[in-house]
Amino acid sequence: MDIFIHDIAKHIDHEITVKGWVYNARSSGKITFLQIRDGSGFVQGIVHQPDVSAQVWDDAHRATLESSVIVTGKVAKHPKRDEYELHVTGLTLVQISPEYPIGKKEHGPDFLLDQRHLWLRSKKQWAIQRVRNTIINATYEWFNNNGFIKIDSPILTPAACEGTSTLFEVDYFDLGKAYLSQSGQLYIEAAIMSHGRVFDFGPVFRAEKSKTRRHLTEFWMMDAEMAFCDHKLNLEIQEQLIGHIVARAIEMSTEELVILERDIEKLSKAVPPFPRMTHAEAVTKLRAMGSDIPFDDDLGGDDETLLTQDADKPIFIEKYPAKVKAFYMKRDPQNEELALCADMLAPEGFGEIIGGSQREDDYDTLIRRIDENGLPRSAFEWYLDLRKYGSVPHSGFGYGLERLTGWICGVRHIRETIPFPRMITRLTP
Ligand code: 4AD
Ligand code: MG
């Protein structure tokens, strides 16, 4: 019977067949050990010379690293560990690999990124993509259970959402320039006036020349938007969502987190409520730690790292100076200089994973903000209409999937959390 390795425990003492790849092989005397992976898991195949045909014994020696194979054998529990073994009876070599470029020795990141199409097979990279998948599923699950529907936003757009200096331009027929979306937010703001609560989930693009471990030029963003939702409720929704995602990752991807040597104990502390701190309080704290950051500036990556190094849960930094944030954010009625916004910073120094705010819902104020920011009114006519026909207080937020995956996996550089990273110096493979 053909099975996936993930299900092997159900087949003790039975003969089964797995189809996969050899990720390690070694021989000693009359025994050859073949480590097999099939995408769903890993198993050790034991080939015992006296028990197999001469052909199988020979083939077991010809199976090089990453050769594709079909292996039949009897399942047994490992005498000591909580693992299963396959006592091999049959072996077919589907294709024999020549010497595999990624070996046992240490490789540098550039070499591995050049080999990304192969690197994806290694155990740690396998685990990261599985956790990423769990995060995606948990996100859909939480939204489905909380009255949201998914609305897809366009990727080709006529104007900027998050500032004009970081756009990828495309020639768009006779209509001039189009820009790759930086976030679907503005479009899902339109959709909440039809559906109440919505989210989108897709690739977004930032042409900013940031070479940090937290920046990609193409990454996946989930934007959520809620009608009749103020700043306070916005934060509560975010912490519930993130709490759910972390709990699901621990539950569904335990094996992967163990492979990644993630401190699950630490991760499990991310249970709502998450602490809130204003931007002014954060700056005061940073200055007490020796930073010279001014009160009217944005926080940088290093500031975020400092603020969250000793945190055991994500924290919200609320009410940034409005001038460093996007034009669409509503101002704090108690202090017009501040935006009704918050960034969620992951603990253990992982930095910003969510950006969000209450949105400006007053027509005249929003026109003023568009003008103040030097944005073309004509491109925002439709967006202004949302404040003309049945405007409501509304809020939303967006998470970066790679940053979230990086934190949950304990991987510091987010280039490892997306299958094929796009950075300012990398477009291949
Ligand atoms: O904070 P940002 O720029 O917010 C927005 O785009 C809003 N329109 C979202 C909204 O309110 N719907 O981006 C949101 C998140 C960040 O918190 C971060 O996790 C991630 O996207 N992000 C990046 N991830 C990887 N590479 C980059 N260059 C990123 N820029 C932002
Ligand atoms: Mg942000």
Side-chain angles (χ1 to χ4, degrees), residues 161-162 182-183 185 206 208 214-216 219 221 223 328 352-356 359 396-400 403 414:
C161 171
E162 293 296 320
Q182 300 164 309
S183 160
Q185 177 200 321
R206 304 267 168 114
E208 63 199 321
R214 294 179 184 151
H215 286 87
L216 298 166
F219 61 98
M221 193 185 297
D223 297 283
Y328 52 71
E352 178 191 339
I353 48 175
I354 290 184
R359 318 306 190 188
F397 62 95
Y399 79 46
R403 301 240 189 123
I414 65 168

Side-chain angles (χ1 to χ4, degrees), residues 314-341:
I315 56 175
F316 287 110
I317 310 291
E318 300 176 87
K319 303 191 179 177
Y320 284 67
K323 65 169 189 177
V324 305
K325 289 290 185 187
F327 74 96
Y328 52 71
M329 292 186 180
K330 197 174 179 66
R331 302 289 172 97
D332 182 358
Q334 267 134 48
N335 181 349
E336 277 286 310
E337 302 289 300
L338 303 179
L340 275 184
C341 69

Side-chain angles (χ1 to χ4, degrees), residues 235-281:
L235 270 48
E236 287 162 10
I237 290 173
Q238 292 172 42
E239 63 193 355
Q240 291 304 322
L241 169 68
I242 297 299
H244 175 76
I245 291 172
V246 170
R248 271 286 188 266
I250 293 170
E251 178 193 344
M252 310 292 287
S253 296
T254 324
E255 179 191 350
E256 290 85 345
L257 293 173
V258 169
I259 289 172
L260 293 165
E261 296 172 25
R262 181 65 168 105
D263 187 337
I264 296 178
E265 174 81 26
K266 266 194 184 153
L267 198 54
S268 64
K269 302 231 167 83
V271 176
F274 300 160
R276 281 114 167 108
M277 183 191 277
T278 65
H279 174 270
E281 286 163 355

Side-chain angles (χ1 to χ4, degrees), residues 22-132:
V22 174
Y23 75 94
N24 210 351
R26 75 189 158 84
S27 286
S28 89
K30 289 185 190 315
I31 294 193
T32 295
F33 297 98
L34 297 178
Q35 309 291 337
I36 315 287
R37 54 174 193 86
D38 72 344
S40 80
F42 305 84
V43 71
Q44 168 159 275
I46 301 169
V47 191
H48 187 211
Q49 190 178 12
D51 299 340
V52 295
S53 67
Q55 176 79 49
V56 168
W57 180 247
D58 278 357
D59 283 349
H61 285 94
R62 294 202 297 144
T64 52
L65 207 60
E66 290 305 316
S67 290
S68 39
V69 292
I70 299 174
V71 184
T72 299
K74 203 167 151 189
V75 179
K77 178 143 189 323
H78 189 284
K80 293 190 195 96
R81 287 195 293 267
D82 196 19
E83 286 169 20
Y84 300 87
E85 298 171 333
L86 201 55
H87 292 277
V88 176
T89 52
L91 172 66
T92 304
L93 296 170
V94 180
Q95 192 253 333
I96 299 177
S97 285
E99 195 181 345
Y100 193 61
I102 303 178
K104 289 268 154 281
K105 64 173 193 292
E106 282 283 311
H107 296 290
D110 279 326
F111 173 84
L112 290 169
L113 286 166
D114 286 341
Q115 303 291 331
R116 184 61 172 168
H117 52 297
L118 302 176
W119 189 27
L120 283 174
R121 304 179 189 193
S122 63
K123 212 169 192 170
K124 189 174 159 200
Q125 300 305 314
W126 174 86
I128 293 170
Q129 290 310 314
R130 311 280 289 190
V131 174
R132 178 180 165 115

Side-chain angles (χ1 to χ4, degrees), residues 70 81 139 149-150 156 167 178 257 318 329 360-361 428:
I70 299 174
R81 287 195 293 267
T139 301
I149 75 155
K150 180 161 177 277
L156 289 166
L167 287 167
L257 293 173
E318 300 176 87
M329 292 186 180
E360 182 52 67
D361 49 33
T428 53

Side-chain angles (χ1 to χ4, degrees), residues 60 62 153 157 160 176 179-180 209 241 251 259 290 308 317 351 370:
R62 294 202 297 144
S153 49
T157 61
Y179 306 96
L180 300 186
K209 293 212 164 65
L241 169 68
E251 178 193 344
I259 289 172
T308 59
I317 310 291
I370 288 172

